[in-house]
Amino acid sequence: MISADASPRSQTGIASPEQLPSLDLTALIDIIFIVLVFLLLTANSQLLSLPVDVPQSPSSAITAVDNKPTIAINIMATAPYWAIDSETFDDLATFTAAFTAHFNTMPEATVVIAADKAAPVEPLMQLLALLQMLSISQTQILMEH
């Protein structure tokens, strides 16, 4: 059965704007803006990484420290973060200069890194980047067992 709408129409047969149903798009626009902001914030995030060689076999994973000459570097939980043989350094530049001087006097030395469990990752990553920049491969990281 076909029925005709009894609402008044204009001469062209189209309903007047006051009689058209209205749609509220506020919620849809809010969701679109939230998704847009999320995409803008996550699209350009740049991840920095530093490759680390990890031992493959369990027998080489844990080794005792040899009696070779060593340079002991401590990474502490609070500032100052770096120490060489218990001598602390307030910033990375002075630590880098002191470490380079220590390593130049003992180029055959093994670098032993002892980091506090609560230490932030950034000082350790800066130290590993420094070791990589100086092409030092004789390093050991001490950890509790």
Side-chain angles (χ1 to χ4, degrees), residues 84-143:
I84 299 174
D85 296 328
S86 300
E87 180 186 350
T88 60
F89 298 94
D90 292 327
D91 60 351
L92 184 61
T94 56
F95 169 75
T96 302
F99 174 73
T100 306
H102 270 79
F103 190 74
N104 287 338
T105 59
M106 297 186 300
E108 72 282 351
T110 300
V111 178
V112 178
I113 304 169
D116 189 347
K117 282 184 179 180
V121 175
E122 185 177 0
L124 177 62
M125 295 303 290
Q126 290 170 338
L127 173 63
L128 293 175
L130 173 66
L131 295 176
Q132 187 176 28
M133 183 182 70
L134 296 174
S135 300
I136 298 172
S137 60
Q138 296 293 334
T139 57
Q140 296 179 350
I141 298 176
L142 296 179
M143 49 192 299

Side-chain angles (χ1 to χ4, degrees), residues 34-53:
I34 290 171
V35 170
L36 182 65
V37 168
F38 174 76
L39 291 175
L40 287 175
L41 290 177
T42 58
N44 292 330
S45 62
Q46 184 180 19
L47 298 176
L48 302 176
S49 65
L50 182 67
V52 176
D53 293 330

Side-chain angles (χ1 to χ4, degrees), residues 73-78 81 113-120 124 142 144:
I73 298 176
N74 295 336
I75 298 184
M76 294 164 285
T78 58
Y81 295 112
I113 304 169
D116 189 347
K117 282 184 179 180
L124 177 62
L142 296 179
E144 288 184 23

